[in-house]
Amino acid sequence: MAATNPRLPGDWHEVLGAHLDSDWFRSLWSFVRGERAAGQVFPPEDEVFSAFAHAPYSQVKLVLLGQDPYHDDGQAHGLCFSVKHGVAAPPSLKNMFKELKTDLGIEPPSHGNLEAWARQGVLLLNAVLTVRAHEANSHKDKGWERFTDLVIDALDQRGEPVVFALWGNYAQKKGKRIKSPHHLVLKGAHPSPLSAKLFLGSKPFSAIDAALVQAGHAPMNWQL
């Protein structure tokens, strides 16, 4: 992979690939490569765009928007809220699984890997796609926010309705980019322990399923 010009997976490259040749993205990618040369960065380079590989542009029906990748060893693998098999579920993900049980009666899974959701057309997108090991928000305001704004803009321009689940104030601010009236926007509390009292009991998963059906999509199979 060239240092200044990575390639987006599948049809995402047709939609957004030109931006990867821009000066601002080259600067961002150069920064990330420099950070990797100096120390550990998550997720690994070949997993930075995993969310796009699992959910092609033409197939996205739901967007879950996170903020910053997990910053502890082995956690982040390019999908917001998700961790690889064999990695303990972090607190936000545990709260999501608790609410799945309350909302839909689905027992918490034995792992925290959400790839099965992504393969159903769920873009598990973080606003920032990389982070320095053990330093939350360390790659904030380096250019990733501009890139993920473009991702939201591209989905907003799609003719087919997309459901956006915006949990927490940060995601809701980014949701201001969603202009087209045929998309459905669901706002709620973040599953973080800081706002868990508001998230738990809010039934966000059944709300997402209802919105998906309203938009003409199949409801989710949330079972992992």
Side-chain angles (χ1 to χ4, degrees):
M1 186 182 287
T4 54
N5 191 20
R7 183 176 178 85
L8 292 175
D11 59 357
W12 281 105
H13 198 77
E14 299 161 32
V15 176
L16 293 175
H19 295 287
L20 275 57
D21 284 322
S22 66
D23 288 343
W24 67 266
F25 191 89
R26 286 175 183 270
S27 175
L28 164 64
W29 198 247
S30 178
F31 162 77
V32 174
R33 293 296 288 261
E35 288 278 279
R36 290 192 191 280
Q40 201 170 17
V41 170
F42 300 131
E45 187 169 304
D46 62 354
E47 294 179 330
V48 169
F49 299 112
S50 288
F52 304 92
H54 287 292
Y57 174 75
S58 59
Q59 295 176 26
V60 173
K61 66 180 185 181
L62 170 64
V63 177
L64 267 181
L65 186 60
Q67 186 169 350
D68 198 46
Y70 294 129
H71 56 266
D72 284 336
D73 295 330
Q75 292 180 319
H77 66 127
L79 307 177
C80 74
F81 297 113
S82 181
V83 291
K84 290 183 176 181
H85 287 277
V87 177
S92 291
L93 187 55
K94 284 183 179 177
N95 285 334
M96 289 167 64
F97 291 155
K98 280 183 192 174
E99 183 58 17
L100 260 177
K101 173 72 184 297
T102 302
D103 190 357
L104 297 174
I106 295 173
E107 292 293 334
S110 60
H111 63 87
N113 189 305
L114 305 183
E115 289 177 7
W117 294 0
R119 288 193 294 269
Q120 295 175 61
V122 183
L123 184 65
L124 294 168
L125 179 68
N126 277 314
V128 174
L129 299 190
T130 57
V131 67
R132 197 180 302 141
H134 316 302
E135 294 184 45
N137 293 312
S138 49
H139 288 185
K140 185 174 180 283
D141 298 328
K142 301 297 183 182
W144 280 126
E145 293 90 346
R146 182 171 179 177
F147 173 76
T148 51
D149 278 350
L150 291 168
V151 173
I152 293 174
D153 292 347
L155 290 168
D156 185 49
Q157 291 159 17
R158 266 199 24 201
E160 190 174 16
V162 176
V163 176
F164 293 84
L166 306 179
W167 294 343
N169 293 333
Y170 186 87
Q172 288 166 25
K173 286 177 188 173
K174 209 159 175 77
K176 292 175 183 174
R177 304 191 73 86
I178 304 160
K179 309 289 188 187
S180 299
H182 60 277
H183 300 309
L184 285 79
V185 178
L186 303 176
K187 296 180 181 180
H190 194 278
S192 154
L194 296 174
S195 50
K197 287 181 180 177
L198 297 172
F199 179 79
L200 297 173
S202 65
K203 299 190 181 297
F205 299 103
S206 54
I208 287 171
D209 281 342
L212 286 169
V213 171
Q214 184 181 338
H217 300 296
M220 287 290 297
N221 175 8
W222 297 107
Q223 194 81 50
L224 292 168

